[in-house]
Amino acid sequence: MTTPPDMTITDALDRADAALLARRLDARTCPPDMLGRMVRHPAPRIRHLGLTLLAERADTPDAGGGGEDGAEAVHLALVARLLPDSPGASPEESLLLAGLHARLGARRPRYRLPDWRAAALPARVRIAWLRTELLGDPTVLRTEPAGELLYRAVRESDAAEAHRPDRLVAELGTVRRIMGGAISGLPLR
């Protein structure tokens, strides 16, 4: 007697067998409830695999949508709904989450990010989260202290990725005028 494939995958998830899950799961066909369980799993390797699959899913157009804007919005909303509420338990996990939030959250107004500022994160990860915050709400530029963190987050930002590119460019222009030479190197791409 053979075990049905879905039972094999469910058992692997229960056992935290990341190697088996990585071999058997595909981002395009993995059921959303399975991805949701993975990104909230207590085992770090399973969470990381789940976030990786979720990132691939976010980058893959919905097969049933044919690339239409409405279907794409539904697809991205599904992926966004699966994101955990935390900034991540490790720097690697947090970087994946920041990237996912940047791609998904920037497309939705009034999108709430996890409380990344309260977490003890390395500088590289804090820059990624600040960049994500800027893409979703450029008014953060008004309150964020000038410094290397802000400079690098802006430098790594692309206005085309922002929820409202026009607002991001306008805010950058305003901040440049107010602060003068302190941030004269900020790019407006």
Side-chain angles (χ1 to χ4, degrees):
M1 183 173 165
T2 60
T3 306
D6 56 348
M7 287 302 293
T8 302
I9 290 172
T10 302
D11 290 343
L13 184 60
D14 292 341
R15 289 190 321 272
D17 187 346
L20 178 71
L21 291 170
R23 286 191 309 268
R24 295 276 181 105
L25 294 178
D26 179 76
R28 294 167 296 166
T29 59
C30 186
D33 62 321
M34 178 68 69
L35 281 173
R37 285 184 61 197
M38 290 176 72
V39 300
R40 289 170 180 76
H41 200 277
R45 290 182 62 193
I46 301 297
R47 278 195 315 271
H48 192 273
L49 176 61
L51 290 170
T52 302
L53 290 171
L54 199 57
E56 288 177 29
R57 181 98 166 231
D59 291 340
T60 305
D62 188 21
E68 298 171 13
D69 287 340
E72 182 70 11
V74 169
H75 171 70
L76 291 176
L78 167 77
V79 174
R81 190 179 76 234
L82 296 173
L83 288 173
D85 296 331
S86 75
S90 70
E92 296 81 11
E93 190 176 310
S94 195
L95 273 174
L96 273 171
L97 280 166
L100 278 164
H101 280 280
R103 284 194 298 242
L104 301 170
R107 291 171 175 78
R108 295 178 15 208
R110 295 182 184 85
Y111 183 74
R112 290 187 59 109
L113 292 175
D115 188 11
W116 64 271
R117 291 175 186 271
L121 300 170
R124 178 77 200 115
V125 180
R126 295 181 68 73
I127 291 164
W129 277 109
L130 182 55
R131 176 186 172 275
T132 297
E133 197 170 326
L134 290 172
L135 293 174
D137 180 15
T139 61
V140 169
L141 285 166
R142 297 177 193 172
T143 57
E144 188 66 29
E148 186 68 16
L149 186 72
L150 177 62
Y151 176 79
R152 290 182 55 194
V154 170
R155 187 155 178 82
E156 293 176 15
S157 297
D158 186 343
E161 296 173 345
H163 172 63
R164 297 270 319 269
D166 56 329
R167 285 186 56 208
L168 179 59
V169 171
E171 288 292 336
L172 285 170
T174 300
V175 169
R176 273 187 175 173
R177 280 192 301 279
I178 292 170
M179 300 190 77
I183 56 172
S184 61
L186 290 178
L188 288 176
R189 322 192 242 172

